[in-house]
């Protein structure tokens, strides 16, 4: 049973920072991604990272403000979010994909963690 568990969400003022954590399988050729979904909006990709090489990719909402990283020993992926804006308010989901990021929909999703940014 593959388990993915997010933590670190909460309430923060605009301009502040949060770090999300994702405990996920640290297997070679797997990738881990962060997605988010705001009320009434579609789920969107935030950032991804591969376990093996640590190759990263950032979606438009994350560029220049968020950083994804991994700790292979702890089997944990982090999402450092800086300069947060009210529009970053959403449920953030972590997903582990055994195809290396080619099929997020078929991956193992966590339950999500709420991030709320107040103005």
């Amino acid at each position: 049973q593959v388990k993915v568990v997010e933590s670190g969400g909460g309430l923060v003022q605009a301009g502040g920072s949060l770090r999300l954590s994702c405990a996920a399988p640290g297997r070679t050729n797997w990738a881990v991604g962060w997605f988010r979904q705001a009320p009434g909006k579609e789920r969107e990709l935030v950032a991804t990272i591969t376990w093996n090489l640590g190759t990263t990719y950032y979606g438009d909402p994350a560029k220049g403000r968020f950083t994804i990283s991994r700790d292979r020993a702890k089997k944990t992926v982090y999402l450092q979010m800086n300069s947060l804006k009210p529009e970053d308010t959403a449920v953030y989901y972590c997903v582990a994909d055994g195809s290396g990021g080619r099929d997020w929909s078929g991956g193992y999703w966590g339950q999500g963690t709420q991030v709320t940014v107040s103005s």
Side-chain angles (χ1 to χ4, degrees):
Q1 181 75 12
V2 175
K3 204 171 182 181
V4 175
V5 181
E6 306 99 333
S7 61
L11 174 64
V12 65
Q13 287 189 331
S17 298
L18 276 177
R19 188 178 78 160
L20 306 183
S21 299
C22 173
R27 301 173 184 171
T28 303
N29 298 327
W30 282 52
V32 174
W34 284 99
F35 288 72
R36 71 184 188 184
Q37 188 165 21
K41 294 188 177 181
E42 292 187 355
R43 189 172 294 182
E44 62 179 344
L45 183 147
V46 178
T48 68
I49 190 167
T50 60
W51 271 119
N52 191 23
L53 297 179
T55 303
T56 59
Y57 173 84
Y58 294 93
D60 288 340
K63 290 177 181 177
R65 298 187 298 129
F66 297 177
T67 301
I68 190 169
S69 61
R70 78 208 189 299
D71 185 324
R72 296 174 70 173
K74 295 182 178 179
K75 296 182 180 179
T76 301
V77 171
Y78 303 99
L79 184 68
Q80 178 68 42
M81 304 186 295
N82 299 327
S83 303
L84 284 163
K85 307 173 183 178
E87 50 264 44
D88 293 316
T89 295
V91 178
Y92 284 70
Y93 296 92
C94 181
V95 54
D97 174 33
S99 71
R102 293 190 296 274
D103 181 23
W104 296 111
S105 62
Y108 298 89
W109 291 78
Q111 292 299 306
T113 185
Q114 176 70 46
V115 171
T116 303
V117 184
S118 64
S119 58

